[in-house]
Amino acid sequence: MVKPPVLEIAGLEKRFGDTVVLKNINLKVREGELVFVIGPSGSGKSTMLRCCNRLEEPTSGAILVEDAKITDIARRDLDKMRMKVGMVFQGFHLYPHMSVLRNVMLAQIKALKRPKDEAETRARDMLERVGLSEKADAMPSDLSGGQQQRVAIARALALDPKVMLFDEPTSALDPELVGSVLKVMKDLRREGMTMLVVSHEMAFAREAADRVIFMDGGLVVEHGSPEQIFGDPQTDRLKAFLSRVSQGAE
Amino acid sequence: MRFLDTFFDGAVMARYLPDLISAIWVTLYLAVVIVAAGLALGLALACLRTLGSKWLNVPIIIFADLGRAIPPLVVILIFYFGLPGLGITLSGQLVIVLVLGAVLAAFAEEIFWAGLTSLSAGQWEAGRATGLTFGQTLFSIALPQAVRLAIPPLVNRALAITKMTALGSVIGVKEILAVSSSAQSFSGSATPLTMAALAYLAIFIPVVIASRLIERRFSWSI
Ligand SMILES: Nc1ncnc2c1ncn2[C@@H]1O[C@H](COP(=O)(O)OP(=O)(O)O)[C@@H](O)[C@H]1O
Ligand SMILES: [Mg+2]
């Protein structure tokens, strides 16, 4: 049986002024799926993710999370919706003036209105899930980049999102720290989390992705299984991109 | 001996000490009111500015620029000697509090605003992406970081402006400088002015030390 889509992007278009950044993007991410997004810099990958929780306002098209039409929600009701869409940024963006535990508790208390003790229990569980229970009382500046990113993942997970969006989660990390973050993402996938991941970690995509989409110039140019995309690219654009990536140029 | 007689005459000191002590209270009281009102107003204006409304921002920017550009003494004299011509008479103390409070607010608004704009957009996005409202993001995430950045320049500015309470001496406010300089002309001795200098030190040295402690408490490494 085909699982229902948790995230659906239909006919998404985004312009900044006269510049068309996304053109008619269509994508379904089904429950428990990991969909991987590749493409050259400037192809619109971040903009697509940011439209999914309306950090960026889509120009036209629809975004659905489960049954809720994200694109129809009034601006002032957006906050509740955003918790359903967990987002992990390239730059972590932990709050530097709060302990790791507070970072993971803040939105639970303020946005979800969880009681404090419940939020703390949940935060500690999530920190354990990303392998950082012992860092609960540390400040973000005391952590390595890989640890900070795992805290950022815990912060998003603590809100019980329906889908997790990752925007180049390992691009800002030293190579030796990348593996710890990818491992957390693999664990999440195994536990059934629905994920949309923008990344250049092709080995990870081959191993963990259900499907891969290749974007270029604001379009989805190719779409297929990892074997198809990496083993049998159809377009010259994808072939050129893959050879640039394998030479370490992207 | 001549030096001691001129600046540290014991008899003159004893005679004017009670006056000076009440003047110290006036200066302290003015300083506290000016700092509290100026910082609160400056912070409120900086927060309003984050809303990004032109109708709010233009007046705020004009206020901040005027407040920083005009010498406070000019405004103090206008308020004290000019406004009665319009039928508005304000006490010297009220004029000092209004003008210096507003000047501090102008500087404080700019300092808080600089702190707010120095935050990376990612801090706001992280807050909003986890479902916090604009206000929650402002108060829980942006302001605490902006305030921490603002503390050293704010302390300096607040000290500079509270020392300007001495300007009250030109409009009859019985603060430290007014009382000591009238004592100086009555007694013909410079000793009251020495006492004034010591009084200012007694007030402001603890403030400087306290500010160092505050700075340390609010600092965390980024
Ligand atoms: N806020 C913005 N204003 C104007 N142009 C933008 C903005 N954000 C992104 N862009 C443009 O949109 C295009 C796609 O950007 P982005 O989604 O960040 O690409 P990617 O993540 O694939 O590198 C780029 O050409 C970028 O310059
Ligand atoms: Mg990007």
Side-chain angles (χ1 to χ4, degrees):
Chain A
M1 192 192 95
V2 182
K3 295 236 173 100
V6 173
L7 173 70
E8 182 170 353
I9 301 174
L12 174 65
E13 187 185 277
K14 173 66 186 175
R15 279 181 232 159
F16 289 108
D18 290 340
T19 324
V20 183
V21 172
L22 296 175
K23 299 166 202 160
N24 192 27
I25 304 278
N26 294 284
L27 177 68
K28 283 182 187 155
V29 186
R30 294 180 191 284
E31 197 184 319
E33 250 190 333
L34 191 157
V35 175
F36 205 85
V37 183
I38 59 175
S41 172
S43 56
K45 307 180 296 297
S46 296
T47 307
M48 180 179 76
L49 289 200
R50 295 160 59 82
C51 283
C52 291
N53 64 1
R54 285 177 61 189
L55 281 181
E56 222 54 270
E57 281 297 335
T59 306
S60 64
I63 310 259
L64 289 95
V65 172
E66 292 190 330
D67 294 333
K69 200 163 174 189
I70 299 292
T71 33
D72 281 353
I73 295 175
R75 274 208 143 261
R76 63 170 189 289
D77 297 330
L78 270 181
D79 306 311
K80 276 186 233 68
M81 168 285 282
R82 284 191 168 127
M83 289 181 276
K84 297 193 188 309
V85 182
M87 184 137 190
V88 175
F89 304 90
Q90 183 176 348
F92 331 135
H93 305 321
L94 296 185
Y95 314 129
H97 56 302
M98 293 178 192
S99 71
V100 163
L101 187 68
R102 288 280 304 159
N103 263 274
V104 184
M105 287 170 67
L106 182 72
Q108 293 188 66
I109 294 169
K110 303 265 176 194
L112 266 187
K113 312 284 181 207
R114 268 197 190 132
K116 219 168 176 177
D117 49 347
E118 205 178 300
E120 179 173 341
T121 307
R122 178 82 177 147
R124 291 191 187 278
D125 285 350
M126 291 303 108
L127 287 173
E128 187 174 346
R129 199 161 163 190
V130 301
L132 290 171
S133 339
E134 79 285 6
K135 296 290 185 187
D137 298 317
M139 296 303 275
S141 56
D142 299 331
L143 304 185
S144 73
Q147 291 171 331
Q148 290 188 46
Q149 190 61 296
R150 281 143 65 199
V151 174
I153 293 172
R155 177 173 68 182
L157 288 176
L159 301 169
D160 308 319
K162 303 292 179 199
V163 53
M164 288 281 288
L165 312 177
F166 293 82
D167 192 359
E168 305 203 28
T170 59
S171 298
L173 299 178
D174 293 336
E176 73 272 17
L177 302 175
V178 168
S180 66
V181 173
L182 295 182
K183 176 179 179 304
V184 167
M185 293 169 66
K186 272 181 233 167
D187 291 346
L188 278 179
R189 164 166 164 62
R190 196 156 4 88
E191 293 156 19
M193 177 58 74
T194 308
M195 305 202 262
L196 182 58
V197 179
V198 174
S199 167
H200 294 303
E201 297 293 334
M202 303 300 170
F204 174 75
R206 282 173 190 272
E207 188 186 337
D210 295 290
R211 286 181 292 136
V212 179
I213 67 173
F214 169 62
M215 287 177 67
D216 194 9
L219 286 167
V220 175
V221 176
E222 287 197 41
H223 186 171
S225 68
E227 296 74 31
Q228 289 168 328
I229 294 289
F230 298 117
D232 186 20
Q234 301 295 307
T235 57
D236 290 342
R237 285 203 266 183
L238 177 53
K239 285 175 194 159
F241 174 74
L242 290 175
S243 84
R244 281 205 307 282
V245 170
S246 64
Q247 288 156 19
E250 277 282 345
Chain B
M1 278 333 267
R2 206 146 143 211
F3 177 81
L4 281 185
D5 283 346
T6 307
F7 292 107
F8 294 94
D9 183 325
V12 173
M13 278 194 178
R15 194 165 136 214
Y16 289 105
L17 194 59
D19 284 355
L20 194 75
I21 285 173
S22 58
I24 289 174
W25 285 116
V26 172
T27 293
L28 266 179
Y29 159 77
L30 290 175
V32 168
V33 176
I34 288 166
V35 169
L39 293 186
L41 180 60
L43 184 61
L45 292 176
C47 289
L48 283 177
R49 214 168 150 185
T50 60
L51 294 174
S53 147
K54 204 162 55 174
W55 297 106
L56 289 170
N57 288 3
V58 170
I60 291 172
I61 293 167
I62 291 174
F63 169 78
D65 286 354
L66 289 182
R68 294 181 305 151
I70 301 179
L73 182 56
V74 176
V75 188
I76 288 169
L77 294 177
I78 290 174
F79 273 38
Y80 192 71
F81 295 111
L83 287 184
L86 300 176
I88 303 169
T89 306
L90 305 176
S91 74
Q93 284 198 7
L94 185 56
V95 168
I96 289 293
V97 167
L98 283 178
V99 174
L100 295 185
V103 170
L104 180 55
F107 280 98
E109 187 279 323
E110 286 298 303
I111 292 169
F112 283 125
W113 179 247
L116 284 168
T117 52
S118 74
L119 285 195
S120 80
Q123 290 290 309
W124 282 93
E125 290 188 345
R128 301 311 302 275
T130 48
L132 300 185
T133 63
F134 179 87
Q136 289 170 334
T137 308
L138 176 63
F139 289 111
S140 295
I141 297 170
L143 264 190
Q145 298 184 58
V147 166
R148 173 237 178 211
L149 289 171
I151 282 177
L154 274 180
V155 167
N156 286 331
R157 189 51 67 181
L159 279 172
I161 286 170
T162 46
K163 281 186 279 187
M164 288 185 196
T165 50
L167 294 173
S169 59
V170 300
I171 55 169
V173 178
K174 299 221 170 318
E175 49 66 61
I176 294 172
L177 184 63
V179 167
S180 59
S181 69
S182 84
Q184 182 264 330
S185 47
F186 275 114
S187 64
S189 163
T191 299
L193 296 175
T194 314
M195 295 165 76
L198 293 174
Y200 279 118
L201 288 179
I203 293 176
F204 286 111
I205 291 216
V207 176
V208 171
I209 291 170
S211 75
R212 295 238 179 270
L213 296 179
I214 296 173
E215 259 168 55
R216 211 171 317 150
R217 185 173 137 44
F218 271 82
S219 68
W220 61 85
S221 45
I222 290 186

